[in-house]
Amino acid sequence: MKIHRILTLVCLTLAASVSYAQSATIVVGKKTDGTDLKAQCYTFPQRVETFSMSGKGDYLCVSFRETTKSGKYLKNKGEIGFYDTKSSQLLWKQPINFGRASIACLSEGVLITEIGSKISLLSKETGEKRWEADLFPVYTDDSLGLVLGYNFSASNKLRAVSLKFGNTLWENKIPHQYGWNEVLELEQNKRMIVADELHKLDFMTGELLTFPGKPGAHDTKAALLQGLVAVAGAAVGAAASGGGYYYSYVPIASNTITGLTSNILSQDSLYYWADRQQISCMDTAFNVVWQKEFPDVKASRSQLFVQDGKLFMLNYGYGLREGASRKKYGRPFIACYGLDGEEIFFNQLSVKKDMIEDALRTDNALFMLFDDGLAYQELTDSVVNIVPWDTKQYGKLEAILPTTLYMANKDTTVFQSLAFDGEHCLVYNDQGIIYEVDKDLNIRNTYEREYIYSPSIRLKDYLCIGNRGDYWFIHEMGMPVAHLETNFKKGRVIDNKLLLLNDKNQFLFIDLDEAIK
């Protein structure tokens, strides 16, 4: 009922702002019975780039942003409109420079993050600036009413600022030369953060527990190359450069390899975590229960999971170059431990420094993908089956598809479900061709890209699936119910309706009950 009320209020809000949005019912597609698929449409006189809602759905912020005459580039200057879905009215509208600031719609108002280290909050009621703070923001929690950030990008002092008043709630030291790799929500206000070490942080009080670790490394090769480039540049003359950079993530030091860490696994009041040197088991107070160093190999990005009372670790053999592109690091391996720390097996998966590009776990096995090979291992067996991949005939492997896809027949009257079932997995190559591979790593089926549709939005038992701008509503079993004849920039499900922002500067509300009649 609450979600339905929010939807009604959103519709009323857009309709009430007649000078900003004109309302009409339009045809947006065809249903499979041949009748029209209709939507309630709200058209704005200005170009709408995107929209966002507060967590509770009580406020809607619309970004109005024009393009250059060619239509290829966005202009930096634009406007934002702030709507109150309770009172069904536009509260305010004001200009903004999107080239220098980003916005977030929150329950307290609009948070403006400017290039550099400055944030401010605009009032919900008037759009006036309520407060301003010097902060390089890295994490916003609307439910707790605070934003976390550093004094500036290179600072190690983490501060919490109240979204309501703009005052500092607490300050603590959390270095971040390797960025933040994970934020895991725990009980009450506590979160687990993998930064330069493992931290348990109370977001409301700043109380901090730290567990030592090494989830990153210095990239000596990159530093050497950078030094050689600098020397070469000095010989031909210096070049001046400048400009601001906006970070939407935690700043990372140069010449580093980040992401050399596992997920944080919580099991029976214990935490399991691996960095590049060792795997650790600790209690909730970060007391060590057991630790194991890795024998003659460095770990990298890895995945921990428990199966049949055993702890497994799949090490991918890569990190991230300064938080971005993949870089080979160490060697891929799979290890198995008893929950008491006893090592059961430790298998290196490549004599070379090949990295695991992707992996998928079944109930009792692992499919693993290299760029030139596939591997399969039963978790009850320490033997790994590795099969080379003919890249000349089948292309370079890119990834495993973990989600269900749909293949259309030639006249799109039927959509066949292509799903990972534990017996087969779907992989795709650098040309977008999808192969179905069995447990013996043989190709069973090949699917061409032009007939493959991927889910974009779920509405209960129904899906909106798309392929290069061609969208359909189908039942999850594959039966089509309607063809959507419009592209959209952004979509959001509210109750039994789909809210779309399309390329024609329109908000569309499509009723699922109407679509499947």
Side-chain angles (χ1 to χ4, degrees):
M1 289 297 294
K2 181 180 178 182
I3 295 177
H4 182 71
R5 181 182 60 83
I6 290 172
L7 174 64
T8 304
L9 290 171
V10 171
C11 295
L12 289 172
T13 296
L14 295 174
S17 306
V18 196
S19 58
Y20 295 100
Q22 299 297 324
S23 173
T25 299
I26 65 171
V27 175
V28 294
K30 288 286 184 182
K31 294 189 280 187
T32 51
D33 63 3
T35 59
D36 291 334
L37 175 63
K38 297 180 181 180
Q40 191 68 24
C41 172
Y42 300 89
T43 304
F44 285 82
Q46 290 175 272
R47 182 183 176 279
V48 179
E49 172 61 20
T50 187
F51 69 91
S52 61
M53 268 188 177
S54 59
K56 296 178 181 178
D58 47 356
Y59 295 101
L60 176 74
C61 191
V62 179
S63 298
F64 302 100
R65 192 172 178 183
E66 300 296 333
T67 63
T68 57
K69 290 183 179 179
S70 66
K72 294 182 178 179
Y73 306 101
L74 290 169
K75 289 183 178 179
N76 286 333
K77 292 184 178 180
E79 291 181 305
I80 53 175
F82 197 68
Y83 297 84
D84 183 350
T85 61
K86 294 179 181 177
S87 61
S88 302
Q89 62 179 324
L90 172 69
L91 296 181
W92 49 264
K93 194 162 172 274
Q94 67 172 254
I96 188 171
N97 188 334
F98 289 102
R100 296 192 56 84
S102 65
I103 64 173
C105 183
L106 304 174
S107 297
E108 290 292 339
V110 177
L111 183 69
I112 305 292
T113 302
E114 300 179 28
I115 289 176
S117 303
K118 190 176 292 293
I119 61 172
S120 56
L121 190 85
L122 305 186
S123 164
K124 294 183 293 188
E125 292 78 14
T126 65
E128 295 295 320
K129 187 182 291 185
R130 282 176 50 185
W131 54 261
E132 185 177 88
D134 292 324
L135 192 74
F136 192 102
V138 297
Y139 196 92
T140 302
D141 194 316
D142 196 16
S143 63
L144 296 180
L146 54 82
V147 55
L148 301 184
Y150 291 94
N151 294 330
F152 51 93
S153 61
S155 170
N156 288 327
K157 288 286 185 69
L158 184 71
R159 283 196 295 132
V161 171
S162 165
L163 287 171
K164 191 175 185 67
F165 301 110
N167 60 301
T168 296
L169 300 174
W170 53 262
E171 188 174 85
N172 219 323
K173 185 177 180 181
I174 298 185
H176 56 91
Q177 70 167 325
Y178 303 129
W180 286 13
N181 292 281
E182 183 178 2
V183 178
L184 177 67
E185 188 171 332
L186 303 177
E187 72 283 352
Q188 297 176 334
N189 306 319
K190 294 182 175 61
R191 306 286 189 271
M192 199 89 88
I193 300 170
V194 179
D196 289 4
E197 297 179 298
L198 181 63
H199 305 280
K200 183 190 283 189
L201 175 66
D202 189 314
F203 273 26
M204 294 304 294
T205 66
E207 180 184 355
L208 183 69
L209 280 176
T210 298
F211 187 85
K214 296 184 177 180
H218 186 66
D219 192 348
T220 53
K221 183 177 180 181
L224 175 62
L225 290 174
Q226 192 177 69
L228 292 174
V229 169
V231 171
V236 296
S241 63
Y245 296 89
Y246 170 70
Y247 291 94
S248 58
Y249 57 92
V250 181
I252 294 168
S254 60
N255 300 324
T256 54
I257 303 172
T258 67
L260 307 179
T261 172
S262 73
N263 56 309
I264 305 165
L265 179 64
S266 178
Q267 182 87 8
D268 298 329
S269 299
L270 294 173
Y271 298 123
Y272 299 90
W273 180 63
D275 61 8
R276 64 183 172 92
Q277 289 188 333
Q278 62 190 11
I279 182 170
S280 303
C281 173
M282 67 208 81
D283 63 20
T284 55
F286 278 4
N287 298 306
V288 175
V289 178
W290 57 263
Q291 282 182 325
K292 292 284 184 182
E293 289 194 5
F294 303 123
D296 303 323
V297 66
K298 293 177 180 177
S300 57
R301 178 187 175 233
S302 57
Q303 185 72 28
L304 299 179
F305 58 92
V306 170
Q307 180 78 28
D308 297 329
K310 298 174 184 176
L311 175 66
F312 290 88
M313 176 179 175
L314 176 63
N315 186 65
Y316 287 80
Y318 70 82
L320 298 176
R321 184 183 285 109
E322 297 180 11
S325 59
R326 291 182 180 182
K327 178 179 176 62
K328 292 179 182 179
Y329 188 89
R331 288 181 179 171
F333 64 79
I334 182 168
C336 179
Y337 303 90
L339 296 183
D340 59 358
E342 177 189 1
E343 184 180 300
I344 298 172
F345 65 78
F346 191 101
N347 291 338
Q348 294 195 41
L349 299 176
S350 175
V351 294
K352 301 183 295 181
K353 286 190 175 182
D354 292 330
M355 59 185 179
I356 299 174
E357 301 283 349
D358 207 352
L360 198 59
R361 179 163 64 99
T362 74
D363 289 337
N364 55 11
L366 282 167
F367 283 97
M368 293 163 280
L369 179 143
F370 299 86
D371 61 358
D372 59 355
L374 288 167
Y376 180 83
Q377 178 173 2
E378 298 278 354
L379 296 179
T380 56
D381 192 348
S382 61
V383 177
V384 183
N385 179 24
I386 302 176
V387 174
W389 181 265
D390 189 340
T391 55
K392 289 185 178 180
Q393 182 175 357
Y394 300 112
K396 181 182 175 183
L397 288 171
E398 291 285 332
I400 298 175
L401 294 168
T403 56
T404 300
L405 300 177
Y406 291 86
M407 184 184 69
N409 60 1
K410 291 186 178 180
D411 56 2
T412 58
T413 55
V414 176
F415 291 88
Q416 176 190 344
S417 170
L418 305 179
F420 172 69
D421 60 5
E423 297 294 319
H424 303 83
C425 75
L426 300 172
V427 301
Y428 69 92
N429 67 7
D430 50 358
Q431 283 89 45
I433 298 173
I434 296 173
Y435 300 98
E436 184 181 73
V437 179
D438 63 20
K439 292 194 296 184
D440 295 322
L441 306 179
N442 297 312
I443 297 174
R444 293 302 181 189
N445 288 295
T446 302
Y447 305 105
E448 298 296 331
R449 181 178 179 179
E450 63 178 304
Y451 298 113
I452 300 299
Y453 288 72
S454 57
S456 55
I457 303 170
R458 173 176 284 276
L459 303 92
K460 300 178 182 176
D461 296 333
Y462 292 82
L463 300 166
C464 179
I465 61 174
N467 179 347
R468 300 181 183 181
D470 183 37
Y471 293 97
W472 286 80
F473 286 121
I474 67 168
H475 189 274
E476 62 182 358
M477 299 302 291
M479 179 181 65
V481 295
H483 187 210
L484 188 62
E485 297 172 350
T486 182
N487 281 324
F488 59 91
K489 301 177 184 178
K490 186 174 182 178
R492 177 162 177 173
V493 176
I494 308 175
D495 195 25
N496 67 330
K497 288 185 172 62
L498 178 61
L499 169 60
L500 299 177
L501 171 61
N502 71 5
D503 294 331
K504 296 180 180 178
N505 209 38
Q506 299 169 325
F507 278 103
L508 305 174
F509 287 88
I510 301 174
D511 191 317
L512 175 62
D513 295 333
E514 176 65 26
I516 64 176
K517 278 184 180 178

